[in-house]
Amino acid sequence: MMERYLAAAIRQAYERARVLKTKIPKPVPAPEMLELHRLCESRLQNTIKHLKYMEEASEINHPAMLPKKIRLFRGACEYLAQLESTGVAALNRSNKDDIFFSKLVFRIHHEISFPLSPPSVTCLSRQYYRISTSLKLIEVPLAEAEFLLHLPDLHHEMAHLLVAAEDDPGADPFQHELGRFHGAVMAHFTEQQARNARSTGPKQYTGWILDNLEDSWVMYWTEELFCDLFALYAVGPAFAWAYFHLTAERGGDPFEIRNGGAMSHPPAAARMQAMLAGLELMGYAEEGRQIKEAWD
């Protein structure tokens, strides 16, 4: 029974992938979206091949392989759903605002001599500004093209591409310094854990806090702070003001550390502290003073 169901489900996913290929407009809405078009076409085709393999290959269709086949099927469906809701949707629903933003990022790419190919942009975000590095697609909120104050955040999202790049000489300097920063973070927490082991206080609680913070720093925060600094060095005080505006709008505790595992972004106060240090290094001490005064 399960084999029959899985065969039908794989066939349906296969047809869905083929239908999604028809949802990609031809010609491309704008030249700046050619890379996104190429990536979506290629990934849909790879998914189709993957599903055909599951349907036809004898080695995966043996009864003993059923659990593995189910896992492969679920992975393919999850990947297909993500592709449908991001890259394919961005191309299918593209409008003048998406094209405006994509052209703007293309100009930023030239203006700051960004060492990788520029990403495309879609105004379909449900989570403020974010980027899919695998699709080179920045997502921004629907009405963002009508406003200016958050545009410096585009530079932060572009910097994530430098982290994700593989074997690309253009990203080497950034990745080298990020690696040094990771090393410093690891050394700091090794020292803190050793101090905690020698202390006479409640080690279990302190150790848990240290583990949580170390995971946050290593998995997310070093990258986020480096992307903040990239944006700061690209556009100067405008990025720090944009971040001030974002936190003023959204409120919350700027020092908050949540329980329950690694946090995806550093506390707001830590990010602002890094930006103020960057402004000092860049020679914008007076602008930094004004931002700090407003922040405090």
Side-chain angles (χ1 to χ4, degrees), residues 35-52:
E35 177 73 355
L36 178 62
H37 181 279
R38 182 190 67 79
L39 286 169
C40 286
E41 287 271 11
S42 135
R43 287 171 190 204
L44 282 172
Q45 189 57 41
N46 286 340
T47 305
I48 287 170
K49 288 179 180 178
H50 187 58
L51 290 163
K52 285 184 75 174

Side-chain angles (χ1 to χ4, degrees), residues 96-115:
K96 63 180 180 63
D97 289 343
D98 303 317
I99 294 171
F100 160 76
F101 260 116
S102 295
K103 289 182 180 292
L104 176 63
V105 166
F106 188 79
R107 291 180 64 183
I108 288 171
H109 166 265
H110 282 279
E111 182 181 89
I112 66 174
S113 298
F114 191 69

Side-chain angles (χ1 to χ4, degrees), residues 2 6 54 69-79:
M2 189 60 186
L6 196 54
M54 284 191 281
K69 188 175 180 180
I70 291 172
R71 289 195 299 272
L72 289 172
F73 171 67
R74 285 177 174 168
C77 287
E78 184 179 343
Y79 185 75

Side-chain angles (χ1 to χ4, degrees), residues 106-246:
F106 188 79
R107 291 180 64 183
I108 288 171
H109 166 265
H110 282 279
E111 182 181 89
I112 66 174
S113 298
F114 191 69
L116 308 177
S117 59
S120 303
V121 186
T122 180
C123 299
L124 290 176
S125 176
R126 291 169 292 177
Q127 301 177 29
Y128 186 58
Y129 280 57
R130 63 183 300 273
I131 188 167
S132 166
T133 54
S134 64
L135 288 174
K136 298 183 180 178
L137 177 66
I138 296 175
E139 299 176 40
V140 303
L142 184 62
E144 201 65 14
E146 305 298 327
F147 300 92
L148 295 173
L149 292 182
H150 290 309
L151 292 186
D153 290 350
L154 292 170
H155 299 74
H156 171 101
E157 301 305 332
M158 291 173 71
H160 282 291
L161 293 174
L162 293 170
V163 182
E166 296 182 2
D167 300 317
D168 194 313
D172 282 351
F174 187 92
Q175 291 181 352
H176 174 72
E177 294 304 319
L178 180 58
R180 290 182 60 200
F181 189 27
H182 267 296
V185 166
M186 296 295 290
H188 169 79
F189 280 103
T190 298
E191 180 186 351
Q192 293 299 310
Q193 294 284 15
R195 283 187 183 182
N196 181 54
R198 293 192 300 269
S199 74
T200 57
K203 293 182 177 57
Q204 183 177 7
Y205 180 72
T206 310
W208 179 85
I209 292 289
L210 284 172
D211 289 343
N212 196 38
L213 284 173
E214 183 174 3
D215 287 347
S216 296
W217 272 99
V218 172
M219 293 169 64
Y220 301 112
W221 293 3
T222 54
E223 178 174 337
E224 290 298 330
L225 288 172
F226 258 59
C227 291
D228 282 344
L229 291 172
F230 177 90
L232 188 80
Y233 294 153
V235 296
F239 180 73
W241 278 120
Y243 186 70
F244 168 82
H245 178 49
L246 174 65

Side-chain angles (χ1 to χ4, degrees), residues 232 236-245 247 272-273 275-276 279 284-296:
L232 188 80
F239 180 73
W241 278 120
Y243 186 70
F244 168 82
H245 178 49
T247 51
M272 180 55 75
Q273 186 176 354
M275 291 177 214
L276 293 173
L279 289 173
Y284 286 108
E286 176 56 25
E287 289 84 349
R289 186 195 63 77
Q290 293 174 18
I291 294 168
K292 184 177 186 303
E293 183 179 336
W295 178 266
D296 289 343

